[in-house]
Every structure is written in C-alpha cells, then in structure tokens.
Amino acid sequence: GWIHHLGRHAVACFLTRGDLWQPWEKGQLHFEEELLDADYALNGFNWLWLSCSGFFYQYFRCYSPVAFQKKNDKGGAYIRKWLPQLKRLPEKYIYEPWKAPVGVLREAGIKLGKAPASAGVMEAGVNYYPRPIVDHAIVSKENMEKMSKAYDLHKERLVAAAKSGGGKRKSTSSS
C-alpha cells in the first residue's frame, strides 16, 4: 500500500522514540515489505532520522498519535472511512474513543476492549475497539528523558574526543 509522508513520520515516531521504543529496523523492514513505493535508501534514512538513532536533531519534537491527526483532519473523515466501527462517534471522541462516556459509546455501538473469543457471544450491532496500548502523555515524556540522557552522553563523548585529539583529522596533503 501507500502512506502519506506525514503518516510515515507519525508511525515511525510512535514505534520508536515517541511511544513504543522499538528498534527502527523493524519499522524499516515492514515498510520495505509492505509499501508499494518503498525506496530502500529513503526508507532507511527516514527511519534513522525519525527515530533519532543516527541523528539527534530535534529529538525533543515528538508526534502525538492523537494531536497530529486532529490538526490535519478535524472532523475525522479519514477515521470514519477506514475505521467504520467508529463512524457513529461524535467528533469530540473520534480520535480518542476511550475517553467517551459509556453512554456515548453505547449509542455509537462500540465496546472498548477485545472482542469475545467465541463468535456466539458477540452482541448484534456492537463493534469492539481496542484500548490504547500505551498512554502517550506518559511514555513520550519517559522516552524524551531517555533521548535527553543519550544526547548528553553523546556530547560528553565528543568533548572528550576533542580534548584527547581524537576529534581532529590529520592533514594528508604534503604542502
């Protein structure tokens, strides 16, 4: 399939430094296998960049899986099209169904959590929707602290290398 470049950014940030703290190579491989427009070099660089694994540039900027989408699709048209089980939710809860009151969920025909294992137990007209696997507000801050510590350690090593002469290149020209 295809994913818009901003969607790719959001996915990469969510899977790596933003929320799940997974190795960027897993995401790179999945995109490489599944996206029709995958480009080996661009894909690898984007995953390195967005995970801040190879570059610390703006590691403190983190895509919110909710706020980012709200900003770009206020009414939730994309969600309503591709997640039809949520189409009856009011706009206020379309990006965060787990925050909707039970009555709102019931009216929209949604139950949060896993569907029962037995198909015979399922209720007619009820759509199950999973709860979040992490709380972005909490884990993104924890991960930002990890990135900050890694960045500080990187700077310390650069300073130490420069002091020991390891940061200077010797000239190879014979002028």
Side-chain angles (χ1 to χ4, degrees):
W2 290 273
I3 300 178
H4 187 278
H5 80 278
L6 294 177
R8 293 173 196 230
H9 291 192
V11 168
C13 190
F14 178 77
L15 288 175
T16 60
R17 66 184 169 84
D19 292 75
L20 300 184
W21 204 255
Q22 294 297 302
W24 64 269
E25 296 91 343
K26 289 182 179 183
Q28 177 199 20
L29 180 61
H30 182 76
F31 275 22
E32 198 70 38
E33 291 173 350
E34 301 297 330
L35 296 181
L36 297 174
D37 61 345
D39 176 284
Y40 182 77
L42 289 174
N43 186 38
F45 181 80
N46 280 333
W47 278 93
L48 268 171
W49 180 266
L50 291 161
S51 68
C52 291
S53 297
F55 315 93
F56 281 109
Y57 178 74
Q58 296 186 343
Y59 68 86
F60 47 85
R61 292 183 68 195
C62 185
Y63 289 91
S64 163
V66 172
F68 184 74
Q69 308 332 314
K70 281 182 176 179
K71 179 181 171 187
N72 293 291
D73 181 16
K74 291 178 182 19
Y78 186 87
I79 295 289
R80 294 178 201 286
K81 178 178 180 175
W82 296 105
L83 293 171
Q85 68 267 39
L86 300 181
K87 69 183 173 190
R88 293 175 33 208
L89 271 177
E91 197 172 291
K92 180 178 180 178
Y93 301 111
I94 193 70
Y95 288 106
E96 298 172 290
W98 55 91
K99 289 187 175 180
V102 174
V104 171
L105 291 170
R106 189 179 314 112
E107 193 172 310
I110 298 170
K111 278 195 175 184
L112 295 178
K114 291 184 178 182
S118 168
V121 177
M122 298 210 36
E123 302 167 48
V126 174
N127 293 297
Y128 285 85
Y129 188 79
R131 295 182 184 280
I133 56 177
V134 295
D135 183 334
H136 174 75
I138 294 171
V139 297
S140 64
K141 287 179 184 169
E142 291 171 352
N143 291 346
M144 200 76 62
E145 289 175 20
K146 292 177 191 174
M147 291 300 296
S148 179
K149 288 177 184 175
Y151 183 63
D152 290 343
L153 182 61
H154 174 71
K155 287 192 299 188
E156 288 172 16
R157 288 180 178 167
L158 288 176
V159 169
K163 285 181 180 177
S164 69
K168 295 181 181 177
R169 291 185 127 185
K170 293 182 180 178
S171 174
T172 55
S173 63
S174 57
S175 31

